Amino acid sequence: MAWPLLQLLLIAATTTAAASSSATTPDGPAPWPEQFHAVLFTNLTNVSFASTSPPLRLHDLYYDWPRRRNLNLIRYQLSRDPLYDVEWNNGTSFYFDSATCRTLQFPVGMLRPGWIAEGGAVYLGRETTGGIDCHVWGKADFIVYYEDALTRRPVRWNFIDVTGIEQFVMSFEVGVVLEDDSQWQAPAHCFLDDAANKTNEHDDHVAVSNGVMDALRLFRKFAGAAAAY
Ligand SMILES: *[C@@H]1O[C@H](CO)[C@@H](O)[C@H](O)[C@H]1NC(C)=O
Ligand SMILES: *[C@@H]1O[C@H](CO)[C@@H](O)[C@H](O)[C@H]1NC(C)=O
Ligand SMILES: *[C@@H]1O[C@H](CO)[C@@H](O)[C@H](O)[C@H]1NC(C)=O
Ligand SMILES: *[C@@H]1O[C@H](CO)[C@@H](O)[C@H](O)[C@H]1NC(C)=O
C-alpha cells in the first residue's frame, strides 16, 4: 500500500509546484518546442478580408524547426480537398490544393521557436479562455497570444487588427514529426512556368527589427494569402 500513497504524495507535490509556479507571472511566453503537431480550430467568420472559402477549418500544424519547415494542413468544413501551406526557412511558402498553387516569398523565413517573445511581448494579464487559465501577451499591436498558466502550452492566438483571425489550440503534441516527405513536397503545378499562376512578392528594402519583421511576416502572410485562405 506504500506505493499508491507515495504516488499520491508525488502527484500532490507536483500539483503544488505547478500551482505555485502558475501563480507567478513568467518573464515572457515560453518558446515553442522545436517539433510539435498541433490541431487548431480556426473560425474566419468575422475576418476583415474577403474569403470565398468556408470559414470554419481545422489546421494540422506541423512545426519542424530542426528541418526548418512548417506545414499548415488546412481542412475546410465538409471539404475533401485540403489546402497545404508549406513554409520553408529560405522564405518560400507554397499554398496549394489539388488544382491551384501560389508561391509567396517571406524574407524572414519561418517562425523561430522564440518568435513570440522576440522583439518584446507585452504582458496583458490573466484571462480564462475555453475554460483554461491563461497568461496573455500582446505583440506588435496585433498578435494576442494565450498560454496555459499551468502547462505553458499555447492555447489560442488572435491576429486582431490585420484579419480578425482567431485560432484555438485543440491538441498540442510535443515531438510529433510529419516524416512523410511527400506531404511537404509542393506538387508539379506549383512549378509550371506560368507567371499568371504565381504570385511572387519580393521585399528586400529597409532593415527593420526582428519584432517588426515577425509582425510584417504575419501581416504579409495573412494579408497576402487572403485569397488562398
Ligand atoms: C465563429 O465566429 C462567429 C463570429 O465571430 C461567431 O458568431 C460564431 O459563433 C463562431 N462559430 C464557432 C463555431 O465558433
Ligand atoms: C467582429 O469584428 C468586429 C471588428 O472587425 C468586432 O468589433 C466584433 O466584436 C467581432 N464580432 C465577434 C462576434 O467577434
Ligand atoms: C526554398 O526551399 C524549397 C524546398 O526545398 C524550394 O522548393 C524553394 O525553391 C526554395 N526557395 C528558394 C528561393 O530557394
Ligand atoms: C493555372 O494553373 C491551372 C492548374 O494547373 C491551369 O488549369 C490554368 O490554365 C493555369 N492558368 C493559366 C493562366 O495558365
Side-chain angles (χ1 to χ4, degrees):
M1 298 312 279
W3 174 236
L5 179 62
L6 179 61
Q7 268 188 327
L8 273 180
L9 286 173
L10 279 174
I11 290 165
T14 319
T15 313
T16 311
S20 63
S21 71
S22 78
T24 57
T25 302
D27 290 340
W32 279 358
E34 295 213 337
Q35 292 173 314
F36 65 86
H37 168 226
V39 175
L40 312 173
F41 170 67
T42 306
N43 181 357
L44 301 191
T45 302
N46 200 31
V47 295
S48 54
F49 57 79
S51 174
T52 53
S53 44
L56 300 184
R57 302 98 191 274
L58 284 179
H59 289 220
D60 277 287
L61 172 61
Y62 291 94
Y63 181 79
D64 193 343
W65 177 248
R67 293 185 178 115
R68 299 295 192 273
R69 61 190 191 181
N70 189 44
L71 168 64
N72 261 293
L73 179 48
I74 302 166
R75 297 174 205 280
Y76 302 114
Q77 186 174 24
L78 296 176
S79 166
R80 287 170 186 274
D81 192 11
L83 175 69
Y84 284 73
D85 160 8
V86 178
E87 302 167 11
W88 298 96
N89 202 44
N90 62 15
T92 303
S93 290
F94 296 98
Y95 297 84
F96 58 88
D97 57 21
S98 62
T100 62
C101 183
R102 300 181 73 190
T103 306
L104 301 183
Q105 288 300 325
F106 296 103
V108 294
M110 65 182 275
L111 295 175
R112 291 176 294 277
W115 71 275
I116 185 67
E118 283 167 12
V122 178
Y123 187 65
L124 300 177
R126 204 107 171 210
E127 194 182 315
T128 299
T129 181
I132 301 167
D133 175 27
C134 290
H135 293 294
V136 187
W137 282 273
K139 185 173 173 183
D141 291 335
F142 76 93
I143 300 167
V144 182
Y145 186 87
Y146 298 74
E147 179 182 285
D148 187 330
L150 201 58
T151 65
R152 310 214 57 199
R153 279 183 302 220
V155 171
R156 170 181 175 179
W157 49 81
N158 301 344
F159 305 114
I160 35 180
D161 292 338
V162 182
T163 57
I165 291 178
E166 294 192 347
Q167 292 190 305
F168 303 84
V169 181
M170 306 305 288
S171 69
F172 194 75
E173 302 170 282
V174 175
V176 171
V177 176
L178 182 61
E179 299 283 359
D180 181 357
D181 281 340
S182 71
Q183 295 292 298
W184 297 87
Q185 176 59 52
H189 61 264
C190 288
F191 304 99
L192 293 175
D193 193 14
D194 169 12
N197 258 337
K198 296 184 178 182
T199 306
N200 289 304
E201 293 184 307
H202 297 285
D203 187 356
D204 34 34
H205 50 170
V206 294
V208 289
S209 71
N210 284 343
V212 174
M213 285 298 272
D214 281 342
L216 267 179
R217 180 185 180 280
L218 285 168
F219 177 86
R220 292 168 59 81
K221 174 173 172 179
F222 288 106
Y229 269 79

